[in-house]
Amino acid sequence: MTTKTKQSMVSTMVEEGTHTSSLDKRHSAAQHDTKQAEQQYRASELNITTEKTASVQHQGPAPLLPGSTIGILGGGQLGRMLALDGLRMGYRMVTLDPAVDAPCSEAAKLIQADYSDLAAAAKLGELADVITYEFENVALETVEKLEREAYLPQGSHLLKLTQHRLREKEALTQAGVPVAPYAAIDSVERLEEALAQFGGRGVLKTATGGYDGKGQRMIKQVEEAKAAYEDLAWAGTELVLEAFIPFVMEMSVIAARNASGEIATFPAAENEHVNHILHLSIVPARVPAEVQEEAERLARRIADSLQVVGLIAVEMFVTEDHQIIVNELAPRPHNSGHYTMDACATSQFEQHLRAICNLPLGDTTLRTPVVMANLLGKHHEGMLQWMEKKDESAEQLSVIPKLHWYGKSKALPERKMGHINLLADDVEAALQWVETNHIWRNTQS
């Protein structure tokens, strides 16, 4: 770029109890004075903030306006949908991804390189005015380099937390957020001991990696402990055991926070999974209003406590007596937030871009009841058959289906290929459409 502006930023890196900060002063229009930087540093050192501070906002770096370039570390479907909203808003988009046919490459300039390629990361930093990551499993070293040398307001600290389940649980506990009882596991004996403490049942998970049910084993009795441990520990990965929670519903809330401290949440989604992969997100969730409000309050608390810049997806369990237990976090747009693309005043993708560019956050009002249904590779042919015919069922049920297809080159059976947002007068009509549509019939198991 011949002319380039960079945001000033305070980057706080927290690891093993040691706090360091660096102030990037390359963007003269957004420089913070010393007093403000010291105040931000002291706040970040505390790491956990109170509910009262959630409404307190600081000026933050100068907004990045249309015409600027947004870089995306990762070029999957989330990156693609970020780029499409970015183009609509007037931004230039560039992405770094190992795949030559990455879905995001159809909407952004592509730097084809591995996520650990520091030279390629430097090129991304040179091209972009602000950088974001679209999923957690990017190389931490690359994110740390971009945090030092470019403008990556999400930062590396949040990524460190969400890449490691044990650290994530500890941060949530510090924030006063309810989580399932958990224990670090380093031997079969420790696993058996923890299971006994948790009533004999639990979910053993790798502390790092794993998604859509990968890297975890359900243990229903102590006798299963040895096999579960050997199945997951063979590679030397750290393990964590979580007590089994007898939940009646899974929910999620997407919260956004910009660099000035403004926070907004989207309506809570009720989620249904098939084979550990999200199948449906139902909004509004079919729970009492006070449960929805508590879910959104917890998401706000987490966004504020962790000083999120961008989106944070908060996955939750709801018990029979309407208690909420937070399960996992994702520091990015989330599959369960795709409903916002057609049903909310602002999509989660636009909101993420607004947050990292330090723009005022958008209106999150739900305009219509909606059900989001995922399309996997095994649904590809059914989707094509549905597309070429008149949808009489949708007309009868007063349902409006909105297709989003991700442009992936290979339709593997369990691979997420797209989704349909079903807009309806009530969620029951949308659910009936899914139940009777041939796209999913005889493919769920």
Side-chain angles (χ1 to χ4, degrees):
M1 300 176 65
T2 57
T3 303
K4 195 165 184 69
T5 62
K6 293 285 186 180
Q7 297 285 341
S8 75
M9 61 181 177
V10 177
S11 170
T12 304
M13 301 173 60
V14 182
E15 185 170 8
E16 298 178 354
T18 301
H19 300 259
T20 61
S21 67
S22 60
L23 184 62
D24 185 349
K25 297 182 178 179
R26 287 178 292 168
H27 185 3
S28 59
Q31 286 183 355
H32 296 279
D33 61 32
T34 303
K35 181 177 179 181
Q36 184 180 12
E38 289 175 348
Q39 290 173 340
Q40 290 181 334
Y41 176 74
R42 286 194 295 271
S44 63
E45 274 201 310
L46 291 174
N47 192 31
I48 304 302
T49 59
T50 65
E51 284 292 327
K52 184 177 180 181
T53 63
S55 62
V56 177
Q57 298 183 20
H58 56 81
Q59 183 178 355
L64 272 172
L65 300 176
S68 303
T69 299
I70 298 173
I72 305 173
L73 192 56
Q77 66 261 26
L78 299 178
R80 175 191 177 97
M81 289 181 276
L82 279 170
L84 290 172
D85 263 15
L87 291 174
R88 176 182 57 79
M89 295 168 70
Y91 291 94
R92 299 180 177 89
M93 308 300 297
V94 58
T95 185
L96 187 156
D97 193 273
V100 66
D101 58 352
C104 187
S105 66
E106 296 181 350
K109 175 183 175 66
L110 174 66
I111 301 172
Q112 186 189 358
D114 190 82
Y115 297 127
S116 60
D117 188 331
L118 297 183
K123 182 177 180 182
L124 180 68
E126 284 299 312
L127 291 174
D129 297 298
V130 62
I131 298 171
T132 183
Y133 43 81
E134 63 133 16
F135 74 130
E136 299 94 306
N137 295 322
V138 294
L140 182 60
E141 183 182 5
T142 299
V143 173
E144 290 174 336
K145 176 183 175 64
L146 290 170
E147 185 180 26
R148 290 191 304 268
E149 301 177 6
Y151 181 53
L152 194 152
Q154 282 167 294
S156 62
H157 177 51
L158 183 60
L159 187 64
K160 290 176 189 176
L161 292 180
T162 55
Q163 282 184 339
H164 195 283
R165 286 189 172 95
L166 191 57
R167 288 199 291 262
E168 180 178 282
K169 298 287 186 188
E170 291 168 347
L172 289 170
T173 301
Q174 282 185 309
V177 173
V179 299
Y182 62 92
I185 302 300
D186 56 9
S187 67
V188 174
E189 293 73 23
R190 177 68 186 110
L191 175 57
E192 292 174 343
E193 178 185 339
L195 280 169
Q197 295 172 347
F198 297 162
R201 302 179 70 188
V203 183
L204 185 65
K205 300 180 179 181
T206 55
T208 58
Y211 61 94
D212 289 343
K214 298 177 178 66
Q216 59 181 270
R217 296 293 179 269
M218 177 68 184
I219 302 175
K220 297 181 180 179
Q221 52 190 12
V222 176
E223 290 75 14
E224 299 173 356
K226 186 174 186 295
Y229 180 84
E230 292 175 349
D231 193 25
L232 295 180
W234 64 271
T237 306
E238 291 181 82
L239 301 178
V240 58
L241 178 71
E242 299 173 7
F244 176 75
I245 300 296
F247 62 88
V248 296
M249 181 185 292
E250 294 182 76
M251 288 175 55
S252 59
V253 174
I254 313 294
R257 181 181 179 276
N258 64 18
S260 295
E262 181 187 3
I263 297 175
T265 58
F266 288 97
E270 171 188 345
N271 299 320
E272 295 184 4
H273 293 78
V274 174
N275 297 330
H276 303 288
I277 300 174
L278 183 64
H279 173 42
L280 302 174
S281 288
I282 302 162
V283 187
R286 295 170 294 180
V287 293
E290 59 267 25
V291 177
Q292 297 183 40
E293 292 167 3
E294 175 63 9
E296 292 176 25
R297 188 192 71 80
L298 285 172
R300 291 178 64 89
R301 182 175 181 84
I302 291 167
D304 187 50
S305 298
L306 300 183
Q307 297 292 282
V308 169
V309 177
L311 296 186
I312 187 81
V314 183
E315 300 180 41
M316 309 169 181
F317 296 134
V318 182
T319 64
E320 189 171 9
D321 60 353
H322 292 155
Q323 297 299 306
I324 296 176
I325 305 296
V326 172
N327 181 31
E328 291 183 347
L329 306 178
R332 52 167 172 81
H334 193 260
N335 194 170
S336 67
H338 290 352
Y339 78 87
T340 63
M341 299 173 74
D342 298 297
C344 289
T346 305
S347 78
Q348 66 166 339
F349 300 101
E350 177 181 340
Q351 194 79 302
H352 183 72
L353 297 176
R354 284 180 165 275
I356 64 170
C357 292
N358 203 29
L359 298 173
L361 297 181
D363 182 359
T364 59
T365 301
L366 183 70
R367 289 175 164 173
T368 174
V370 59
V371 171
M372 188 285 302
N374 265 336
L375 295 166
L376 307 181
K378 61 187 177 183
H379 306 135
H380 185 197
E381 289 302 318
M383 182 277 293
L384 294 177
Q385 293 171 20
W386 163 71
M387 281 289 289
E388 66 182 0
K389 298 177 182 178
K390 184 176 181 179
D391 192 338
E392 295 181 356
S393 176
E395 291 184 359
Q396 293 169 0
L397 294 168
S398 297
V399 169
I400 302 174
K402 306 291 285 186
L403 173 68
H404 299 267
W405 195 248
Y406 305 150
K408 295 182 179 180
S409 57
K410 295 182 180 179
L412 302 177
E414 301 299 313
R415 191 183 193 190
K416 293 176 182 176
M417 301 297 295
H419 68 272
I420 297 176
N421 284 333
L422 299 156
L423 313 181
D425 293 332
D426 62 80
V427 297
E428 299 304 327
L431 290 170
Q432 186 177 347
W433 186 92
V434 174
E435 183 68 24
T436 58
N437 195 285
H438 70 271
I439 295 175
W440 296 275
R441 193 178 300 165
N442 300 322
T443 62
Q444 306 295 351
S445 59

